[in-house]
């Protein structure tokens, strides 16, 4: 349970520190639309795509370490995804579905909180922790072919497409921020009504917002994760760094990745296309700045954990 607990505790702690310390320091109103989006971007990183890409690139020649990294990333998502789509969505879009209710709204909320990666991880844990695993994989030292071995191998081959597809999704999200591609005129939203300049509130400059999220994701977030890991180690939820280096590496990597591009999807689903476009542009700059600090964090973690 170490990875799911770390995911929820880390996001909550960074959210609190960002709104109570960083936002006042950079002159950002946490209750403004931009402040709410920035709160979510500071607290929730790209928990799936980038860790998977880094793990495969670093440990492709070490299957045992790579498998452990994949399992820890999956377990992290078990805690991260429901918290992001419930708490994070409530922060970014506080009035979403406010007028709805009943079974339909509950079904939609549950679907958002438990996306396919979380359901797949939960199903895998259920099979691996029960005698059903003998139908898919052979026990250590046992001969023969499992009854559903062909199905397991087929699913394994399908799963190998996850990383390339995730990279395409990430590239497409960043391309939106860069303004690449031709928008379809038939789907373009109508222009907003003209508003006098005096009626438009002056928010923080993009440079201040970029500086705030860079400090949050590149400095505050990794330090908070180290503190959480030490606490979880004391209560026995995670092992020591040298005993379980892959787990520590994945959790430190999760704390240093740039903001989740799902934040853009969240606004698009809520029908806020203009805000989603502005956030995509902002995330493009954030990814460019965060990449430098991310590489430094990965290099330091590999060295300290003996994985280099």
């Amino acid at each position: 349970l170490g990875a799911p607990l770390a995911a929820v505790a880390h996001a909550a702690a960074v959210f609190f520190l960002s709104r109570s310390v960083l936002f006042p320091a950079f002159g950002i109103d946490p209750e403004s639309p931009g402040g709410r989006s920035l709160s979510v971007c500071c607290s929730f990183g790209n928990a799936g795509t980038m860790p998977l890409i880094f793990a495969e690139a670093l440990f492709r020649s070490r299957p045992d370490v790579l498998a452990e990294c994949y399992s820890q990333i999956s377990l992290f998502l078990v805690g991260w995804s429901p918290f992001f789509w419930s708490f994070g969505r409530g922060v970014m879009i506080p009035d979403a579905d406010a007028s709805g209710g009943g079974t339909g709204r509950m079904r939609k909320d549950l679907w958002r909180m438990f996306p396919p990666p979380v359901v797949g991880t939960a199903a895998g844990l259920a099979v691996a922790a029960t005698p059903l695993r003998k139908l898919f994989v052979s026990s250590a030292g046992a001969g023969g072919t499992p009854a559903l071995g062909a199905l397991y191998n087929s699913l394994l081959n399908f799963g190998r497409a996850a990383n390339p597809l995730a990279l395409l999704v990430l590239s497409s999200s960043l391309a939106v921020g860069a303004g690449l591609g031709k928008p379809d005129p038939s789907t373009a939203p109508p222009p907003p009504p003209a508003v006098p300049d005096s009626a438009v509130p002056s928010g923080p400059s993009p440079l201040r917002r970029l500086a705030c999220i860079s400090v949050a994701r590149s400095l505050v977030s990794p330090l908070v994760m180290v503190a959480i890991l030490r606490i979880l180690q004391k209560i026995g939820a995670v092992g020591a760094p040298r005993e379980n280096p892959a787990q520590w590496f994945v959790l430190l990597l999760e704390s240093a990745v740039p903001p989740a591009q799902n934040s853009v999807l969240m606004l698009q689903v809520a029908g806020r296309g203009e805000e989603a476009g502005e956030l995509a542009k902002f995330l493009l700059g954030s990814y460019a700045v965060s990449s430098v600090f991310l590489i430094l964090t990965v290099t330091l973690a590999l060295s300290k954990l003996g994985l280099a």
Side-chain angles (χ1 to χ4, degrees):
L1 295 177
L5 286 176
V8 175
H10 173 263
V14 175
F15 175 82
F16 172 77
L17 290 174
S18 298
R19 289 173 68 102
S20 60
V21 178
L22 295 181
F23 280 25
F26 287 94
I28 298 172
D29 179 13
E31 297 304 325
S32 65
R36 290 195 295 267
S37 299
L38 193 61
S39 300
V40 174
C41 291
C42 288
S43 309
F44 295 92
N46 189 326
T49 305
M50 295 200 71
L52 288 171
I53 294 171
F54 268 86
E56 184 176 9
L58 291 169
F59 306 117
R60 187 182 294 115
S61 60
R62 301 163 68 180
D64 54 336
V65 179
L66 182 60
E68 178 66 17
C69 287
Y70 281 166
S71 65
Q72 291 299 327
I73 293 170
S74 300
L75 290 172
F76 188 90
L77 288 172
V78 169
W80 185 93
S81 290
F83 195 55
F84 174 78
W85 287 103
S86 56
F87 177 78
R89 184 170 179 270
V91 171
M92 182 175 284
I93 314 171
D95 57 340
D97 298 333
S99 59
T103 307
R105 179 185 173 186
M106 185 181 301
R107 190 182 299 115
K108 286 173 62 179
D109 291 342
L110 287 174
W111 177 254
R112 292 191 184 102
M113 290 174 63
F114 296 98
V118 175
V119 175
T121 301
L125 289 172
V127 171
T130 63
L132 289 174
R133 67 180 180 275
K134 296 179 181 178
L135 297 175
F136 296 91
V137 293
S138 300
S139 303
T145 302
L148 299 179
L151 175 61
Y152 173 78
N153 291 329
S154 299
L155 294 174
L156 192 63
N157 288 329
F158 275 115
R160 291 195 177 101
N163 285 352
L165 291 176
L167 184 58
L168 286 174
V169 171
L170 176 60
S171 302
S172 300
S173 298
L174 296 180
V176 172
L180 300 178
K182 247 183 202 179
D184 185 358
S186 63
T187 60
V195 180
D197 293 341
S198 58
V200 179
S202 58
S205 66
L207 188 59
R208 275 195 289 168
R209 295 175 64 215
L210 185 59
C212 178
I213 199 169
S214 298
V215 172
R217 293 302 311 167
S218 303
L219 180 62
V220 175
S221 180
L223 291 177
V224 168
M225 181 59 81
V226 170
I228 290 173
L229 284 171
R230 292 298 182 187
I231 294 173
L232 293 177
Q233 182 185 354
K234 287 187 177 180
I235 65 176
V238 299
R242 290 288 177 169
E243 294 174 0
N244 201 346
Q247 183 180 39
W248 278 68
F249 173 77
V250 166
L251 295 179
L252 289 173
L253 175 62
E254 294 280 9
S255 70
V257 291
Q261 79 269 21
N262 280 344
S263 304
V264 178
L265 175 62
M266 192 182 292
L267 290 173
Q268 289 173 337
V269 171
R272 302 187 179 186
E274 187 176 350
E275 290 182 44
E278 291 298 320
L279 183 59
K281 295 177 185 177
F282 174 71
L283 288 184
L284 178 64
S286 174
Y287 271 67
V289 174
S290 299
S291 60
V292 178
F293 297 98
L294 175 59
I295 292 172
L296 291 175
T297 302
V298 169
T299 304
L300 184 62
L302 289 173
S303 175
K304 295 293 184 181
L305 296 171
L307 293 172

